[in-house]
Amino acid sequence: MAAPRCASKALRASVRQLSSQAPAVQRRTFVAATSAVRAGVKAAPKAAATPFQQTRGLKTVDFAGTKEDVYERADWPREKLLEYFKNDTLAMIGYGSQGHGQGLNLRDNGLNVIVGVRKDGASWKEAQQDGWVPGKNLFDVDEAISRGTIIMNLLSDAAQSETWPKIKPQLTKGKTLYFSHGFSPVFKDLTKVDVPKDIDVILVAPKGSGRTVRTLFREGRGINSSVAVYQDITGKAEEKAVALGVAVGSGYLYKTTFEKEVYSDLYGERGCLMGGIHGMFLAQYEVLRERGHSPSEAFNETVEEATQSLYPLIGQNGMDYMYAACSTTARRGAIDWSKRFKDTLKPVFKDLYDSVENGTETKRSLDYNSRPDYRELYQKEMDEIANLEIWRAGKAVRSLRPENSK
Ligand SMILES: NC(=O)c1ccc[n+]([C@@H]2O[C@H](COP(=O)([O-])OP(=O)(O)OC[C@H]3O[C@@H](n4cnc5c(N)ncnc54)[C@H](OP(=O)(O)O)[C@@H]3O)[C@@H](O)[C@H]2O)c1
């Protein structure tokens, strides 16, 4: 909702933030942002007239010309959730990032939730530290599934595949199976997760880490999530998915399918969200260093200004708003070069989507993440990344941020 007033408030906040930061790094944007404020944020986009029709909690929202259904938590106050799930036991299987966030939110909402994890694992200890009590609401996986009516499979995706032969026979008629990713059932030829034909199978996939699911809930807000139905036996699967989505801490729930959720998710994290952006940072930094720029300059012009100044402006009000907040010099070059980057990168993104759709990415993920030494192997890769010059330079740059230096 980019009302001009909000835009100018956001921009003032950005300017306040920028003015308290290292001037050499931020000047270009700071000066331009200040001018934009002075100009009454003329360049900021107008409030999107978001025409939506609402029928009890379901909004049909016009997203740039395409109408989509969005559910909101306003229709599921706590009392209604308690009533709706009064006969249910929610069995949270797995207590990693999502299990922790969703499980604690369900518990704080007052629902009857139990956690199921293996007794010798790290999650068992973590769950106890979070106040789950063995024998009361903390059990091993089999016991939790046998007690649960709604089985929330939040094991890692590789573990969902590995444990499926033991889990499947326990998913008897009347239970509901819940996922936070379409991975296991969609790629069933690879994962072997073929769901029983006589139970509801639903999905709520928060669009963020489990830590954010928890933090936003505690702040009284909700995370955006995808919601989908894979199998509707009772005729109530969608309603149940939406109610669960709200109960685990979602604010808005965007309707999708299991297939679309898993394709877009695997594609996005390999692309702009993580892999693509890391590749682009590295390429830009390396060229700057090869052309004689110092590590601090290369880092500031590649990562620091992006993450601390420009990307938040895109997040607040869009790309045009960020462009408008920068100098005409920056704007001219950026608009021109964006076309070349798009044309160069689009074939790579097409390859990536194919690789997701044809299961190559799933196979790679299953093979790698099922290895007994996968944690050590990841740690080695994380250490290698942390030791790259760019990220070591970044550590030094961060130490000079106002909040870290006296
Ligand atoms: N993380 C995210 O940001 C995110 C966001 C949206 C959706 N999702 C989805 O949410 C689901 C859970 O993801 P997550 O990131 O929360 O998972 P995770 O942090 O990787 O959680 C792993 C859990 O699986 C258990 N586990 C691993 N191997 C096991 C095995 N062989 N047998 C029994 N338990 C095993 C772990 O227990 P131990 O401690 O005992 O090893 C831990 O409780 C996935 O479908 C994921 O795609 C994740």
Side-chain angles (χ1 to χ4, degrees):
M1 313 297 148
R5 207 157 56 88
C6 301
S8 103
K9 196 172 149 206
L11 199 46
R12 277 199 303 278
S14 307
V15 170
R16 269 202 304 279
Q17 184 197 351
L18 291 171
S19 57
S20 67
Q21 290 177 358
V25 182
Q26 307 291 356
R27 191 173 299 124
R28 182 192 318 156
T29 312
F30 170 60
V31 170
T34 315
S35 330
V37 170
R38 253 191 255 112
V41 204
K42 256 201 275 174
K46 283 226 168 77
T50 315
F52 59 78
Q53 298 152 353
Q54 185 156 10
T55 49
R56 280 187 52 77
L58 175 67
K59 280 178 176 174
T60 301
V61 182
D62 187 336
F63 290 99
T66 301
K67 291 196 168 55
E68 298 180 42
D69 291 338
V70 180
Y71 290 98
E72 63 173 332
R73 68 174 169 164
D75 201 41
W76 286 94
R78 198 160 162 264
E79 301 67 39
K80 188 172 163 186
L81 288 174
L82 291 174
E83 174 63 25
Y84 192 80
F85 291 115
K86 69 177 180 213
N87 296 322
D88 281 305
T89 300
L90 312 178
M92 177 67 62
I93 309 304
Y95 200 73
S97 170
Q98 287 297 328
H100 160 93
Q102 297 188 28
L104 291 177
N105 291 353
L106 288 171
R107 193 173 74 183
D108 286 355
N109 269 330
L111 297 173
N112 179 20
V113 54
I114 59 176
V115 170
V117 287
R118 53 183 170 187
K119 275 192 173 147
D120 52 350
S123 299
W124 181 269
K125 282 194 206 96
E126 276 166 38
Q128 280 185 288
Q129 279 160 14
D130 288 341
W132 302 93
V133 180
K136 184 177 165 221
N137 51 20
L138 175 61
F139 303 94
D140 69 22
V141 173
D142 289 344
E143 176 82 22
I145 295 177
S146 75
R147 288 172 179 253
T149 54
I150 298 178
I151 312 305
M152 305 177 74
N153 194 335
L154 293 184
L155 297 175
S156 71
D157 296 306
Q160 288 179 20
S161 175
E162 200 181 316
T163 57
W164 186 246
K166 270 197 86 186
I167 288 183
K168 185 181 175 184
Q170 303 180 68
L171 300 172
T172 47
K173 201 167 179 339
K175 299 206 186 218
T176 296
L177 179 59
Y178 165 107
F179 291 102
S180 280
H181 199 3
F183 190 96
S184 294
V186 169
F187 291 108
K188 59 176 179 290
D189 291 347
L190 294 164
T191 62
K192 310 294 175 209
V193 177
D194 53 334
V195 299
K197 297 273 179 281
D198 56 354
I199 60 171
D200 288 349
V201 180
I202 57 179
L203 168 148
V204 173
K207 297 289 116 184
S209 122
R211 303 288 149 182
T212 317
V213 171
R214 182 65 180 152
T215 315
L216 289 178
F217 178 85
R218 294 186 75 161
E219 288 170 4
R221 299 189 286 150
I223 194 158
N224 285 341
S225 299
S226 296
V227 63
V229 171
Y230 190 77
Q231 203 164 265
D232 185 5
I233 301 301
T234 60
K236 297 272 180 199
E238 183 162 307
E239 182 182 70
K240 207 174 349 182
V242 172
L244 266 177
V246 172
V248 301
S250 309
Y252 287 97
L253 290 139
Y254 292 73
K255 244 177 107 158
T256 186
T257 64
F258 271 58
E259 284 80 8
K260 291 271 189 292
E261 190 280 332
V262 70
Y263 293 167
S264 59
D265 194 73
L266 296 180
Y267 175 77
E269 64 205 8
R270 280 152 183 74
C272 284
L273 302 180
M274 294 166 73
I277 206 73
H278 192 198
M280 197 141 149
F281 281 159
L282 294 178
Q284 171 161 320
Y285 181 89
E286 280 176 23
V287 171
L288 282 168
R289 292 288 289 129
E290 284 156 18
R291 301 296 171 102
H293 295 266
S294 69
S296 68
E297 189 164 67
F299 186 84
N300 280 331
E301 287 297 334
T302 303
V303 181
E304 189 72 355
E305 184 166 347
T307 58
Q308 301 308 299
S309 169
L310 301 183
Y311 293 176
L313 293 179
I314 303 172
Q316 281 158 15
N317 280 307
M319 188 59 86
D320 55 334
Y321 180 87
M322 187 274 276
Y323 277 148
C326 292
S327 70
T328 50
T329 312
R331 218 183 297 173
R332 181 69 269 130
I335 294 168
D336 292 345
W337 275 87
S338 69
K339 294 184 179 62
R340 177 140 172 219
F341 278 112
K342 191 193 115 176
D343 292 345
T344 309
L345 290 172
K346 197 163 168 189
V348 180
F349 279 100
K350 284 183 174 171
D351 282 354
L352 169 57
Y353 196 92
D354 289 343
S355 184
V356 166
E357 198 174 29
N358 67 26
T360 305
E361 297 304 311
T362 297
K363 185 163 180 345
R364 162 94 174 127
S365 169
L366 284 172
D367 288 349
Y368 195 92
N369 297 331
S370 303
R371 293 176 59 149
D373 56 348
Y374 81 95
R375 282 186 206 270
E376 296 83 57
L377 292 173
Y378 272 128
Q379 194 51 53
K380 199 162 157 264
E381 284 182 294
M382 294 305 105
D383 292 345
E384 278 164 16
I385 291 170
N387 277 321
L388 289 175
E389 185 194 273
I390 180 175
W391 302 116
R392 284 188 287 118
K395 204 170 168 190
V397 168
R398 285 193 298 279
S399 74
L400 299 180
R401 283 193 197 149
E403 67 270 26
N404 296 330
S405 60
K406 297 239 161 94

